Amino acid sequence: MAVRATVSRFPIDSDALEASGLPWGLTVTPFASKDETGIGPAYGSNGHLLPRCENCYAYFNTYCELDQWAWTCSLCGTLNGLPSDAIARYSNPHSIPEMSSSFIDLELPLDGSEEEMTQARPVYVAAIDLSSSEEFLELTKSALLAALEALSPGSLFGLATFSHKIGLYDVQGPIPVVKNVFIPPDQESKLPLELEDAMPLLQFLAPVETCKDRIAAALETLRPITSWERSSGAAQGIDGVLMGGRGFGTAMEALFNYLGSEFGNTFALARVFAFISGPPDYGRGQLDTSRYGEQYASKRVDADRALLPEQTPFYKDIATIAVHSGVSVDVFAVTNEYTDLASLKFLSIESGGSLFLYSSTDDSTLPQDMFRMLNRPYAFNCVLRLRTSTEYKPLHSYGHFFPDPQYENLQHIICCDSYATYAYDFDFANNTGFSRHPREPPVVQIAFQYTVVVPPEGLQNSELPSSSRGKHLLQRRLRIRTMQFGTAQNINEIYDSVDHEVVLSLLVHKVILVSLEDGVREGRALLHDWLVILTAQYNDAYNLVQYKNGNKSMSSQIDITFSQCPQLEPLPRLVFALLRNPLLRFHEEGVHPDYRIYLQCLFSVLEPSSLHCGIYPSLMSYSTPDKQAYPRHSLSRAALLTSGSPIFFLDAYTTLIVFYSSTADPSLPFPPPQDCLLRKNINMVKQGRSITPKLMFIRGGQDDATAFENYLIEEQDVDGSGFASSMGFVSFLDDISQSVAEYMK
């Protein structure tokens, strides 16, 4: 569980917080196996015996004062009695995890019988769009064949298709059998037949280890729905043109209900992989894609504001069904047409799944992403709870979770991998802040309760009775991290303790929320105003602006680069880069609304260092493929020219580019050989990613270098009107400087 705060020394009260101009909060990656410094938890069992505070329900931890019979809660100060079994255990503290570490991971006893525990097998269902092309189906097949290799023995797999009908495949017999249920074309009607009546669920879900070849054979039979086939099911449009045939909404709703009947019995978690090649245009949840068109070409309508909210609550509503059915949904959209991901995204973000967007089938990393996603450990049926000491409280929480309908600050996460990150911001509970009890430092406690599937051991052992082979063991665990923070005595101490990557994380979450509610323009304005206020507060704190004869418009003296505080120095560049990012660029600049939604979903789950890389890519140079020249350059053409290095490596999180300058020695091997240092670094970067980055090799002067040059943002105008005549980042700083002077008047 990695936890990083925007400031490691908290402001002492609300006045100090306001004076700093900084967001106050933290990010948490609950299922990360180590903390942010690389240290793992102390493991143990009997998590249900861990004492809890009678007042605030916090868990006993190393910061609590312990007497022989009682303990004082480090969060609220309540004195709690110790039960007799705890007194006996704590008399020998060396072997007790909660006595030796503030980061613990304890096993909890499972509800239900031993038999039920082992029966719950992991379930995976692929739902494939047949209103698509041959190329789309070929890509989907190769992705699913990769997925089958990554699934552990004992898993159950179901294959379903959708178009104007839902197809359910039974692959447990000698040849694959498909049962079809036709989808009513209108928005209101439900299926004429429950899927359970068309095919019993246990006939549909096949054991992977015995049916892998038959699943592969069934995949080979998939063909796109032909136009004559569709005409019988789909509605006829104007002049006999076929309208619709992709009944995605009805199919998803039916699948969630189908699986929900066996939740907690056959399976503890089901993952649905939805492969879609265009907008749902048939049956329930069909979307009107004409809203993305010529009407937004005029500047009078804020297209970004019109295209970011969802069209219909349908997908949000069925995401709730998925959550209650124990189903996590991953949506793989392979399309370059407008699909309205703004409406579809709720399926994945509320159920703890992922949203992937690929603009074409040609260079798609879908099979690699699929394999990578299934090959990494994940937890499910998770509950995340953050508690603080009484002087302050969590204000907002950000991330892909399902908020508890009853309890505040309690989040449900259906499926959580080791990359998934959540954020919180804080506010003071009263005006006194931490000043009343200076000896009691602020404490935060994060509790994460989760289930993991432990694969069956000794599968190779033929002596095992067949009934116990392939069974998975479920393990319920409780992971707790308790942290103490210092308080800052003055504003300089706050500024010196800033973590700029976490500040960026909170800014991105806030800006996404504002742009969803009020449009991209408002999101940009919020970011600009925040930097102006921060710069003004910093200049004020360090007394950098001198007022002569009452004249306060001394913009020449304003320090806009935070030269007195290295921790704040990266922030103007990060804000500039965020304003240049497709997340916040205008519709008129050609930013596709679906791509913007994809970025919102991706950036909302990244841990701070990865997000930094996605917003302001890292650029390093090499003098040869085996020798690094400089570890970091600014993203400007000038930096390239002055460095004199022949090879550059740019890491933009989703894209990796190796660029050979036009002046590079022709004898340097291109592309770089597999065993060189540069390749080793590339492979290391790729291994640490949650998605498969696209790797490009570009030779300056010979290949089209646009993809690389687009990342050199510092000469680009911040408002996107092409390349500015004055240098982009420099003119942006001038503009901030003038705004700060106005603000400080």
Side-chain angles (χ1 to χ4, degrees):
M1 185 187 288
V3 179
R4 289 171 62 179
T6 52
V7 284
S8 58
R9 295 180 78 85
F10 285 0
I12 199 131
D13 55 25
S14 49
D15 291 342
L17 175 61
E18 198 174 329
S20 75
L22 288 163
W24 178 30
L26 54 75
T27 60
V28 54
T29 312
F31 197 53
S33 58
K34 305 261 174 30
D35 70 9
E36 63 287 352
T37 62
I39 296 167
Y43 287 97
S45 54
N46 294 327
H48 62 300
L49 299 179
L50 190 62
R52 296 187 72 173
C53 176
E54 294 162 6
N55 176 43
C56 71
Y57 299 104
Y59 292 90
F60 175 81
N61 57 80
T62 51
Y63 299 111
C64 297
E65 287 180 18
L66 180 65
D67 293 326
Q68 192 176 355
W69 312 105
W71 60 282
T72 306
C73 176
S74 59
L75 277 81
C76 70
T78 302
L79 186 68
N80 296 277
L82 268 179
S84 53
D85 60 333
I87 294 169
R89 270 186 304 132
Y90 292 162
S91 60
N92 180 21
H94 303 296
S95 58
I96 308 291
E98 63 265 30
M99 299 286 279
S100 61
S101 174
S102 58
F103 179 21
I104 57 173
D105 192 305
L106 309 176
E107 191 174 345
L108 292 166
L110 270 161
D111 299 332
S113 69
E114 187 91 7
E115 186 64 23
E116 281 173 20
M117 242 163 71
T118 55
Q119 284 299 325
R121 303 166 77 168
V123 165
Y124 303 90
V125 174
I128 303 172
D129 178 4
L130 294 186
S131 301
S132 57
S133 64
E134 285 281 3
E135 293 80 11
F136 169 84
L137 286 181
E138 282 306 313
L139 180 67
T140 304
K141 286 173 196 174
S142 58
L144 286 171
L145 291 172
L148 288 173
E149 293 307 315
L151 297 183
S152 62
S155 305
L156 298 173
F157 184 86
L159 178 62
T161 57
F162 60 90
S163 52
H164 62 278
K165 59 188 178 184
I166 298 170
L168 301 175
Y169 283 75
D170 175 3
V171 295
Q172 296 186 61
I175 52 164
V177 175
V178 60
K179 296 278 182 71
N180 291 308
V181 179
F182 283 86
I183 296 172
D186 60 287
Q187 294 260 27
E188 306 305 320
S189 304
K190 294 207 173 189
L191 284 179
L193 183 72
E194 290 290 332
L195 297 187
E196 181 65 38
D197 297 332
M199 183 180 290
L201 185 63
L202 296 179
Q203 199 176 324
F204 171 68
L205 297 174
V208 169
E209 69 270 25
T210 55
C211 298
K212 195 180 282 186
D213 293 344
R214 291 180 206 153
I215 295 166
L219 288 172
E220 287 307 319
T221 65
L222 298 183
R223 297 284 178 273
I225 291 290
T226 55
S227 53
W228 66 265
E229 223 183 324
R230 206 180 295 178
S231 61
S232 60
Q236 292 283 336
I238 306 151
D239 300 330
V241 176
L242 290 169
M243 307 288 283
R246 190 178 289 113
F248 178 69
T250 311
M252 288 295 109
E253 184 179 32
L255 270 178
F256 301 157
N257 287 323
Y258 188 31
L259 291 165
S261 62
E262 286 292 317
F263 175 45
N265 188 11
T266 300
F267 71 90
L269 168 80
R271 294 184 72 168
V272 170
F273 308 130
F275 299 91
I276 188 165
S277 67
D281 52 11
Y282 189 82
R284 289 165 67 76
Q286 56 186 275
L287 299 170
D288 171 22
T289 52
S290 64
R291 69 175 191 160
Y292 175 60
E294 292 305 311
Q295 70 266 43
Y296 298 123
S298 71
K299 301 282 174 87
R300 288 189 297 279
V301 179
D302 184 351
D304 306 304
R305 191 171 179 178
L307 293 169
L308 283 173
E310 70 271 24
Q311 274 189 54
T312 164
F314 178 79
Y315 290 97
K316 208 170 188 172
D317 294 343
I318 66 168
T320 308
I321 299 174
V323 168
H324 294 309
S325 303
V327 174
S328 174
V329 188
D330 297 292
V331 177
F332 300 89
V334 186
T335 173
N336 58 1
E337 63 177 308
Y338 175 59
T339 304
D340 192 17
L341 294 184
S343 298
L344 302 183
K345 68 177 182 185
F346 295 103
L347 285 178
S348 59
I349 63 178
E350 301 227 333
S351 69
S354 302
L355 174 71
F356 295 86
L357 174 65
Y358 309 94
S359 57
S360 81
T361 53
D362 299 339
D363 53 358
S364 166
T365 54
L366 173 56
Q368 296 92 317
D369 283 339
M370 220 44 238
F371 185 79
R372 194 174 283 239
M373 184 175 80
L374 292 172
N375 228 0
R376 58 177 175 252
Y378 61 87
F380 55 93
N381 297 346
C382 317
V383 182
L384 183 65
R385 177 71 196 250
L386 179 138
R387 292 181 175 87
T388 61
S389 43
T390 50
E391 304 88 352
Y392 69 116
K393 60 186 181 189
L395 196 60
H396 300 108
S397 45
Y398 308 92
H400 296 179
F401 49 68
F402 193 79
D404 190 274
Q406 191 175 353
Y407 298 103
E408 222 180 350
N409 302 319
L410 188 72
Q411 285 85 33
H412 295 270
I413 306 160
I414 297 298
C415 186
C416 179
D417 66 22
S418 54
Y419 293 94
T421 300
Y422 307 88
Y424 297 86
D425 58 9
F426 298 134
D427 197 10
F428 283 97
N430 52 44
N431 294 332
T432 52
F434 302 118
S435 53
R436 188 187 294 174
H437 306 290
R439 288 206 200 121
E440 294 173 12
V443 177
V444 63
Q445 185 177 79
I446 300 154
F448 180 61
Q449 206 177 104
Y450 64 98
T451 303
V452 282
V453 174
V454 183
E457 291 176 1
L459 260 183
Q460 309 306 320
N461 189 348
S462 56
E463 292 170 22
L464 273 174
S466 58
S467 62
S468 67
R469 254 183 263 159
K471 287 185 178 177
H472 285 61
L473 189 67
L474 294 188
Q475 219 177 65
R476 190 77 178 154
R477 301 194 68 88
L478 173 63
R479 184 174 287 187
I480 300 169
R481 181 91 191 271
T482 312
M483 300 174 79
Q484 263 189 1
F485 290 89
T487 50
Q489 298 310 305
N490 54 52
I491 200 158
N492 299 35
E493 285 190 4
I494 296 178
Y495 286 155
D496 288 341
S497 74
V498 165
D499 183 333
H500 64 269
E501 291 183 335
V502 188
V503 169
L504 175 68
S505 281
L506 262 81
L507 285 178
V508 167
H509 280 296
K510 288 172 190 288
V511 160
I512 287 173
L513 272 187
V514 169
S515 54
L516 282 172
E517 286 168 15
D518 304 314
V520 169
R521 273 170 224 284
E522 281 302 310
R524 292 176 68 88
L526 170 96
L527 206 52
H528 179 276
D529 294 351
W530 174 80
L531 185 59
V532 168
I533 292 166
L534 175 70
T535 311
Q537 304 291 60
Y538 156 81
N539 276 273
D540 212 27
Y542 283 81
N543 295 320
L544 299 173
V545 179
Q546 307 300 314
Y547 302 124
K548 292 183 183 172
N549 305 325
N551 177 13
K552 299 174 189 173
S553 62
M554 308 298 288
S555 63
S556 59
Q557 301 172 5
I558 292 170
D559 177 6
I560 43 170
T561 58
F562 299 98
S563 59
Q564 309 269 328
C565 181
Q567 283 76 11
L568 296 176
E569 262 180 38
L571 289 172
R573 259 193 176 83
L574 292 177
V575 169
F576 175 77
L578 187 47
L579 290 167
R580 285 298 308 139
N581 193 278
L583 197 67
L584 286 179
R585 266 160 54 197
F586 293 119
H587 182 73
E588 299 92 79
E589 282 189 73
V591 178
H592 197 291
D594 284 341
Y595 183 60
R596 197 193 303 278
I597 293 289
Y598 162 70
L599 283 183
Q600 286 184 356
C601 293
L602 176 67
F603 288 172
S604 304
V605 292
L606 291 185
E607 54 83 32
S609 299
S610 300
L611 182 60
H612 183 193
C613 195
I615 301 291
Y616 193 94
S618 75
L619 179 64
M620 56 188 76
S621 60
Y622 288 76
S623 43
T624 73
D626 268 312
K627 189 180 176 194
Q628 193 182 49
Y630 295 102
R632 197 157 191 108
H633 295 275
S634 61
L635 298 175
S636 69
R637 291 159 188 265
L640 263 66
L641 294 169
T642 53
S643 83
S645 300
I647 304 171
F648 294 89
F649 173 45
L650 181 126
D651 176 5
Y653 196 79
T654 55
T655 309
L656 307 176
I657 300 177
V658 175
F659 177 76
Y660 279 53
S661 76
S662 53
T663 56
D665 184 342
S667 67
L668 285 172
F670 178 88
Q674 290 293 345
D675 58 348
C676 69
L677 174 71
L678 174 53
R679 281 279 193 176
K680 281 177 190 156
N681 287 349
I682 290 171
N683 292 336
M684 208 162 69
V685 164
K686 284 168 82 173
Q687 277 171 4
R689 286 285 132 98
S690 58
I691 57 165
T692 310
K694 191 171 159 186
L695 178 59
M696 300 168 76
F697 297 99
I698 298 173
R699 211 166 190 164
Q702 294 182 32
D703 307 328
D704 179 8
T706 315
F708 178 67
E709 287 166 355
N710 284 345
Y711 285 109
L712 304 178
I713 54 173
E714 293 200 8
E715 282 97 353
Q716 295 172 23
D717 181 25
V718 74
D719 286 328
S721 50
F723 290 94
S725 50
S726 61
M727 282 175 51
F729 181 55
V730 175
S731 59
F732 167 73
L733 289 181
D734 288 345
D735 169 55
I736 294 292
S737 181
Q738 286 168 10
S739 302
V740 171
E742 287 292 313
Y743 179 80
M744 293 180 82
K745 270 184 184 176

